[in-house]
């Protein structure tokens, strides 16, 4: 290899990697539209290819089949949701306000029609493809619980919370934030809750959580 070729190789490699990453994102975005329109069982790879603007051969160069593609979509979707959920203003030092901020973001995400549709698809696919269910669980509830547990640990270190198990407390908070709202959306034709209804649910959850884990001391 010539000196000039050696100098260009890293750039070419980076460009190729960027192109492959972009193509993979295009495929996942196309799959999202196809799956959300037709459902996991109803969407064919031909429809995914058409929606993504690529050939089926290109899809199979990145994914072994529809199940692996849907699994990648689930993981990508959960990662993006987690980043949005745990972007917290550093100026918030009040544990009550912090919990309300996270709870409101969490519930606003949970009740979105597309999220409910994704939950239903995952539940339907997981019996035949358990890895899809596991991916959703790991990248969603487990990852979210771990992220919140870290924030709760920091608050406990500052004397604002009394915790014996941060991770268990994190899951308690997320569960009481949901109340019956998400179940109603999953299993019936209940309307999407309004911001005021979400706020009421979250405020109740924060009161219950602080009654169990709060110190009663000012922040």
């Amino acid at each position: 290899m010539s000196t000039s070729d050696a100098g260009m190789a890293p750039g070419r490699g980076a460009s190729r990697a960027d192109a492959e990453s972009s193509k993979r994102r295009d495929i996942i975005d196309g799959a999202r539209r196809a799956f959300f329109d037709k459902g996991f069982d109803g969407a064919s790879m031909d429809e995914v290819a058409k929606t993504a603007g690529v050939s089926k051969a290109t899809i199979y160069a990145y994914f072994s089949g529809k199940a692996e593609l849907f699994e990648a979509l689930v993981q990508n979707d959960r990662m993006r949701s987690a980043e949005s959920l745990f972007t917290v203003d550093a100026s918030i030092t009040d544990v009550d306000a912090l919990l309300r901020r996270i709870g409101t973001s969490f519930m606003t995400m949970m009740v979105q029609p597309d999220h409910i549709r994704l939950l239903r698809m995952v539940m339907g696919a997981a019996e035949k493809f358990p890895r899809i269910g596991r991916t959703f669980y790991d990248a969603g509830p487990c990852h979210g619980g771990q992220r919140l547990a870290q924030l709760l640990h920091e608050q406990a270190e500052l004397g604002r919370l009394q915790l014996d198990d941060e991770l268990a407390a994190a899951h308690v908070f997320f569960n009481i934030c949901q109340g019956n709202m998400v179940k109603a959306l999953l299993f019936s034709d209940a309307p999407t809750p309004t911001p005021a209804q979400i706020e009421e649910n979250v405020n109740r959850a924060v009161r219950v959580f602080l009654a169990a884990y709060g110190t009663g001391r000012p922040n």
Side-chain angles (χ1 to χ4, degrees):
M1 182 188 297
S2 69
T3 302
S4 59
D5 285 343
M8 292 174 63
R12 287 205 301 269
S15 297
R16 183 179 302 145
D18 288 345
E20 289 179 353
S21 178
S22 176
K23 183 65 68 178
R24 191 175 189 277
R25 284 196 302 271
D26 289 343
I27 293 170
I28 291 174
D29 287 343
R32 178 179 287 103
R33 294 192 294 274
F35 286 133
F36 278 40
D37 182 42
K38 303 285 187 177
F40 176 75
D41 289 327
S44 69
M45 292 298 266
D46 285 321
E47 287 169 315
V48 171
K50 181 179 180 181
T51 306
V54 300
S55 67
K56 280 176 65 176
T58 299
I59 295 178
Y60 284 114
Y62 289 87
F63 304 99
S64 63
K66 187 164 73 167
E68 185 180 349
L69 175 55
F70 186 62
E71 183 182 341
L73 184 160
V74 167
Q75 188 166 39
N76 185 70
D77 184 87
R78 296 300 84 207
M79 287 175 60
R80 291 197 302 187
S81 294
E83 289 309 310
S84 171
L85 176 60
F86 292 101
T87 301
V88 179
D89 188 341
S91 67
I92 298 178
T93 58
D94 183 320
V95 65
D96 183 285
L98 177 68
L99 290 171
R100 291 178 197 280
R101 157 69 180 82
I102 292 173
T104 300
S105 294
F106 172 68
M107 285 306 297
T108 300
M109 178 271 294
M110 287 293 291
V111 303
Q112 291 302 308
D114 276 355
H115 183 257
I116 296 300
R117 197 171 294 124
L118 179 63
L119 282 174
R120 287 171 174 163
M121 282 192 285
V122 169
M123 292 168 67
E127 184 170 352
K128 185 176 181 181
F129 302 102
R131 275 189 52 173
I132 290 175
R134 186 76 220 186
T135 295
F136 182 91
Y137 181 67
D138 287 344
C142 283
H143 181 64
Q146 290 163 358
R147 293 287 296 272
L148 179 56
Q150 179 58 42
L151 290 176
L152 296 180
H153 175 77
E154 292 168 2
Q155 293 297 311
E157 289 288 294
L158 293 169
R160 297 168 181 164
L161 294 173
Q162 300 182 63
L163 305 171
D164 55 1
D165 186 330
E166 292 93 346
L167 185 57
H171 289 303
V172 165
F173 180 69
F174 282 141
N175 285 331
I176 56 178
C177 276
Q178 292 181 67
N180 204 45
M181 273 187 176
V182 177
K183 291 186 183 73
L185 294 169
L186 270 175
F187 302 117
S188 74
D189 59 352
T192 300
T194 65
Q197 290 172 321
I198 290 172
E199 181 180 6
E200 181 181 1
N201 234 45
V202 171
N203 287 344
R204 184 183 304 112
V206 171
R207 289 196 301 271
V208 171
F209 186 84
L210 290 179
Y213 297 106
T215 62
R217 286 182 279 172
N219 292 304

